[in-house]
Amino acid sequence: MSHQLRSVELYLVRLPLIRPFTTSSHTKDHLDHILIRAQDATGAEGWGECASAADPYYCSETTESSWHILRDFLIPHLLGVTWDHPDEAARTWQAVRGNNFAKAGLEIACWDLYTRSGGEALAHALGGTRKEIHSGVSLGIEPTVEGILEQVARFVDQGYRRIKMKIGPGRDLAYLRAVRERWPDVLLMADANSAYSLDNPDHLSTLRALDDLNLMMIEQPLADDDIIDHARLQAELATPICLDESIHTVHDARKALDLQSCRIINIKVSRLGGLSEARRVHDLCQRRDVPVWCGGMHEFGVGRAANVAISSLPGFTLPGDISGSDRAYREDIVDPPIRAHRGAIDVPWERPGLGFDANLERIQARCVRQLLLEAERSTVSAA
Ligand code: OSB
Ligand code: MG
């Protein structure tokens, strides 16, 4: 079935976090994500989410840069063009460099439209096989060690399958040791968000000390743009390194694996520019026997549903960061709500598209800015 978009709407939506979230670089208490509604010439619609952060601390893109790239480049390239598959839609913006978060939002909307109008579950179209996905939780840095113990207790009790703790220099070993001591068997990992450097001898000795804590992995300890130093570090550590920020394309993934910069890859749909590139990284890692898991950006329901779908592929053998949305938000913008039960989320195989429906009323109630872009009249009438 061919599609030709007649309009794309952008909604900048703000949701408060239940609890402020601190990483090695900053703290946030609410998120602004761009929800994208694409409608084709027949009136069929698809939803996507651009999960860019308001600030450029995780990566260089921001909410505003994504809004600009979507409005002025990606959407104008796509509007009015006829496409049969989301990969064909994505080819309309292939001249645009980088800006993967913006691309991912629009690509997810095309996948949702494509599978929804074809009556197929997105997980099925992507080649998923799992009935449910195993859910981990990503915990921010707490002001005190007691604070982190309280948070870990809460999510272990809820049945989450893996605990990830954010760390940074000075807020690392004491926190991790306290958690490991109290939960000797819990699947535990740490995420440094690039806060360490091999130039600093204290950092290096801290990273070496992680080997005593039986961690599943250490995520992105070094700079986002450095797979050479990660390879040097991996050669010295028993703990597997997992790369997040460094991997923007399947080519980055191949190079990092060739250099032995990591033994695990975090597949994040936004960072990779969409579901198709996420699947390419999954396929590469599967061929090379490298385990992967699905990372997140505290997505609202639309982006979270895309994460659930990609996590259903067979190579996602490790629990990901895809928790129930009630872990981050009091009220989400999709129906039914996305929930984990004893650390597992059901893949919505019986429902077409993303399998969770955007609730326009709640989106509008939380919307701080809105924009409608339409195809030229002449293009629409040619459909
Ligand atoms: O590094 O994985 C990360 C959130 C925002 C930015 C970067 C990261 C994260 C998380 C949270 O770890 C994952 C989630 O619960 O969505
Ligand atoms: Mg990370």
Side-chain angles (χ1 to χ4, degrees):
M1 198 193 310
S2 302
H3 300 281
Q4 190 185 49
L5 297 193
R6 113 183 139 195
S7 70
V8 179
E9 279 163 285
L10 301 180
Y11 301 86
L12 182 55
V13 173
R14 173 166 300 177
L15 291 184
L17 284 168
I18 289 175
R19 188 183 174 78
F21 192 80
T22 301
T23 67
S24 56
S25 61
H26 66 294
T27 298
K28 57 189 167 194
D29 63 9
H30 68 270
L31 279 84
D32 291 329
H33 285 180
I34 303 167
L35 291 171
I36 300 167
R37 180 199 206 183
Q39 274 190 299
D40 77 4
T42 71
E45 69 174 35
W47 283 85
E49 175 175 337
C50 169
S52 284
D55 50 63
Y57 303 141
Y58 167 79
C59 68
S60 59
E61 288 180 88
T62 66
T63 318
E64 291 301 335
S65 76
S66 296
W67 186 276
H68 159 56
I69 295 294
L70 281 161
R71 180 193 60 199
D72 296 331
F73 296 98
L74 305 182
I75 295 168
H77 279 305
L78 179 59
L79 276 175
V81 172
T82 302
W83 51 272
D84 288 324
H85 186 275
D87 289 344
E88 223 180 300
R91 276 199 283 280
T92 65
W93 61 74
Q94 68 185 359
V96 176
R97 301 228 168 137
N99 292 287
N100 282 358
F101 276 65
K103 289 174 180 171
L106 192 55
E107 195 238 23
I108 292 168
C110 292
W111 271 106
D112 185 37
L113 174 59
Y114 168 76
T115 48
R116 212 174 266 267
S117 56
E120 184 184 18
L122 175 60
H124 183 262
L126 292 170
T129 53
R130 297 172 191 280
K131 276 206 168 84
E132 56 171 38
I133 62 158
H134 285 188
S135 221
V137 71
S138 170
L139 301 178
I141 298 174
E142 292 289 328
T144 63
V145 170
E146 292 68 43
I148 194 69
L149 292 173
E150 212 172 279
Q151 289 302 304
V152 174
R154 185 149 158 229
F155 293 101
V156 167
D157 289 349
Q158 289 180 24
Y160 278 101
R161 312 278 171 122
R162 181 223 66 189
I163 299 294
K164 163 167 139 183
M165 288 166 57
K166 294 286 184 182
I167 60 167
R171 298 177 292 180
D172 38 39
L173 293 173
Y175 286 78
L176 287 165
R177 283 182 182 133
V179 170
R180 182 43 95 207
E181 211 167 286
R182 176 123 157 235
W183 290 276
D185 300 322
V186 78
L187 295 181
L188 183 64
M189 61 173 289
D191 185 357
N193 289 110
S194 296
Y196 298 85
S197 159
L198 293 188
D199 297 338
N200 185 321
D202 293 340
H203 289 189
L204 188 55
S205 59
T206 298
L207 293 168
R208 286 205 177 102
L210 297 177
D211 277 349
D212 297 330
L213 293 166
N214 186 26
L215 301 182
M216 293 176 86
M217 68 194 91
I218 166 77
E219 184 178 346
Q220 197 72 39
L222 307 177
D224 63 321
D225 60 353
D226 196 339
I227 58 174
I228 305 293
D229 279 358
H230 276 107
R232 281 173 56 204
L233 179 62
Q234 182 65 92
E236 290 196 36
L237 293 189
T239 307
I241 290 176
C242 170
L243 289 178
D244 174 358
E245 283 91 327
S246 293
I247 309 297
H248 307 278
T249 64
V250 68
H251 307 295
D252 289 344
R254 177 183 53 75
K255 291 171 206 168
L257 294 176
D258 284 350
L259 288 172
Q260 299 183 290
S261 309
C262 64
R263 296 191 197 133
I264 300 174
I265 290 181
N266 165 336
I267 292 185
K268 206 176 265 187
V269 175
S270 308
R271 200 192 63 231
L272 291 164
L275 290 159
S276 291
E277 193 74 357
R279 179 165 61 176
R280 282 178 210 115
V281 175
H282 162 274
D283 294 350
L284 168 78
C285 290
Q286 213 181 16
R287 286 197 297 277
R288 297 200 183 190
D289 266 326
V290 171
V292 302
W293 53 278
C294 186
M297 292 297 298
H298 293 130
E299 279 85 353
F300 303 170
V302 169
R304 196 170 292 263
N307 291 340
V308 170
I310 196 78
S311 300
S312 73
L313 271 64
F316 285 80
T317 53
L318 302 173
D321 277 348
I322 315 310
S323 33
S325 60
D326 54 340
R327 126 112 197 99
Y329 305 108
R330 250 176 257 293
E331 186 184 57
D332 197 359
I333 47 76
V334 295
D335 298 310
I338 303 180
R339 292 280 180 268
H341 301 283
R342 281 180 292 105
I345 298 176
D346 289 334
V347 178
W349 283 102
E350 309 304 324
R351 299 166 62 94
L354 288 166
F356 296 89
D357 298 328
N359 181 312
L360 195 54
E361 211 174 293
R362 287 206 296 277
I363 287 170
Q364 262 159 346
R366 300 278 188 186
C367 182
V368 294
R369 190 196 304 159
Q370 192 173 334
L371 179 68
L372 168 67
L373 292 158
E374 289 178 291
E376 299 291 323
R377 289 260 156 253
S378 58
T379 321
V380 174
S381 56

